[in-house]
Amino acid sequence: MTPTKVKIVEVGPRDGLQNEKNFVATETKVELVNRLSQAGLQNVESASFVSPKWVPQMADGAAVMEGIDRRHGTIYSVLTPNMRGFEAALQAHADEVVIFGAASEAFSQKNINCSIAESIARFEPVAKAAKEAGVRLRGSISCSLGCPYQGEVPVASVVDVVERMKALGCDEIDIADTIGVGTPTRTREVLAAASKVFPREHLSGHFHDTYGQAVANIYAALQEGIEIYHASVAGLGGCPYAKGATGNVATEDVVYLMNGLGIETGIDLDQLIEIGDFISRAIGKPSSSRAGRALLAKKRDGVTPCV
Ligand code: HMG
Ligand code: MG
């Protein structure tokens, strides 16, 4: 069941940068998106059209979308919590809009200020408008493997939201481990249950690496036949509404894993490690990518670090 080819969705420019305290210049964001698409990422989550009061870092989404060089065939996605966000996305010529809900009531309240049922009602017009406009629609389900407020999240709660997102017409659904608490067994359990109600090939794994389990969870998800993975270059990020959550699994680490398994990604790992270095310098933080740091040291100094 293990796929021979996967799609990696780069979420660094959005999920990664949204949590940065210091405002990252629009031109840096634009360069990041451009370099990622040139390195072979077929899908780049590039901006969010959310309230700038809630997430100030994403306030320049329109300028980012305006500034990028569109690479033929690349899907540029943006987050749209409501119709206001959708209209901005349409104006920005986004290829895909992302509605984002949660499998946990408490997290839904903290992140988007409404219950799960209310969020689905808000997404309905967005989904309808996306279909009418011929824009791809993706649904993201936070806290699918655990919640910072509620703790354990029943598999049935995740499946319930998958079914609701499916009814809205989502082309793709993300099973998101927002706080990185998931382990391989739980990952397989949730993905197996989700793929009973939604086509496996359109389900994706979105793993944050807070507990260091993300690569193991991806390996587990591969055994379930999952073909789409989200990752963030240099392991950028966190979530503003999930205290202590660290970044997504690093794209460099995922590509290194896939290369080792002989699974095709279409991504140039050498270019990717340079991008990881570029954005880490730009935000003044060391890269969280283990593979990225090791490969860069080897490339610059000709040595493999042992610490
Ligand atoms: P609200 O306060 O409940 O709703 O926010 P509201 O409609 O009353 O709007 C409040 C203010 O926001 C108003 O402005 C609106 O105009 C404005 P004011 O009158 O106070 O000046 N507003 C907007 N501005 C720009 N664009 C918009 C927009 N909508 C309203 N689209 C809302 C509800 C959802 C808008 C708010 O809670 C919000 O923006 N939350 C941000 C959530 C967010 O971006 N979270 C991080 C991304 S999700 C994530 O990272 C998880 C994921 O990675 C998966 C995983 O790892 O779990 C996807
Ligand atoms: Mg996330």
Side-chain angles (χ1 to χ4, degrees):
M1 205 201 282
T2 310
T4 54
K5 194 176 168 183
V6 294
K7 175 172 96 165
I8 296 181
V9 179
E10 171 62 46
V11 297
R14 195 284 304 172
D15 204 345
L17 295 184
Q18 74 179 6
N19 212 33
E20 285 303 312
K21 293 269 178 301
N22 298 324
F23 192 76
V24 178
T26 306
E27 51 272 30
T28 305
K29 291 173 179 153
V30 167
E31 182 174 348
L32 178 63
V33 173
N34 285 344
R35 288 180 66 167
L36 287 163
S37 64
Q38 283 157 16
L41 271 306
Q42 305 158 37
N43 192 159
V44 184
E45 201 170 271
S46 307
S48 265
F49 291 109
V50 299
S51 164
K53 283 190 194 143
W54 285 63
V55 187
Q57 186 61 255
M58 292 286 108
D60 60 347
V64 171
M65 292 298 283
E66 170 91 43
I68 58 176
D69 298 323
R70 306 284 176 125
R71 196 159 192 258
H72 183 70
T74 305
I75 298 167
Y76 296 92
S77 316
V78 301
L79 263 57
T80 54
N82 52 22
M83 275 310 285
R84 174 144 175 215
F86 178 77
E87 275 146 24
L90 208 56
Q91 201 136 34
H93 303 291
D95 302 295
E96 179 179 73
V97 293
V98 184
I99 48 179
F100 50 104
S104 133
E105 283 293 349
F107 189 83
S108 181
Q109 288 292 350
K110 295 273 181 194
N111 193 35
I112 50 176
N113 207 20
C114 62
S115 68
I116 295 173
E118 282 162 351
S119 74
I120 299 296
R122 270 187 204 175
F123 299 150
E124 263 166 26
V126 177
K128 190 165 173 279
K131 294 285 146 190
E132 278 166 14
V135 176
R136 281 173 58 92
L137 178 69
R138 172 147 63 81
S140 188
I141 308 177
S142 288
C143 299
S144 290
L145 299 179
C147 171
Y149 310 105
Q150 170 184 320
E152 186 98 355
V153 174
V155 176
S157 305
V158 182
V159 172
D160 178 53
V161 184
V162 171
E163 284 179 315
R164 294 185 200 213
M165 294 264 189
K166 179 186 176 184
L168 291 174
C170 285
D171 299 297
E172 222 165 274
I173 296 179
D174 315 330
I175 301 300
D177 186 9
T178 315
I179 52 165
V181 286
T183 52
T185 306
R186 185 62 165 180
T187 298
R188 287 194 72 163
E189 211 181 333
V190 170
L191 288 169
S195 45
K196 288 209 174 85
V197 297
F198 193 74
R200 184 187 309 272
E201 60 275 22
H202 301 304
L203 279 176
S204 75
H206 176 112
F207 301 109
H208 285 260
D209 202 24
T210 318
Y211 289 79
Q213 302 297 299
V215 167
N217 291 342
I218 290 174
Y219 190 72
L222 285 169
Q223 318 305 306
E224 286 300 322
I226 299 301
E227 298 170 14
I228 310 170
Y229 295 96
H230 292 195
S232 168
V233 70
L236 294 170
C239 175
Y241 301 102
K243 215 172 185 342
T246 56
N248 296 85
V249 63
T251 317
E252 299 91 314
D253 296 3
V254 180
V255 174
Y256 185 85
L257 171 74
M258 298 299 170
N259 287 352
L261 293 170
I263 297 174
E264 208 184 306
T265 64
I267 298 165
D268 183 326
L269 183 55
D270 189 55
Q271 278 189 51
L272 197 58
I273 61 169
E274 295 293 345
I275 302 168
D277 187 45
F278 152 74
I279 194 62
S280 301
R281 285 174 194 272
I283 63 170
K285 288 184 181 166
S287 167
S288 306
S289 169
R290 306 287 281 269
R293 288 202 309 263
L295 289 168
L296 196 68
K298 194 170 165 194
K299 192 171 163 185
R300 300 274 198 265
D301 311 326
V303 291
T304 302
C306 54
V307 285

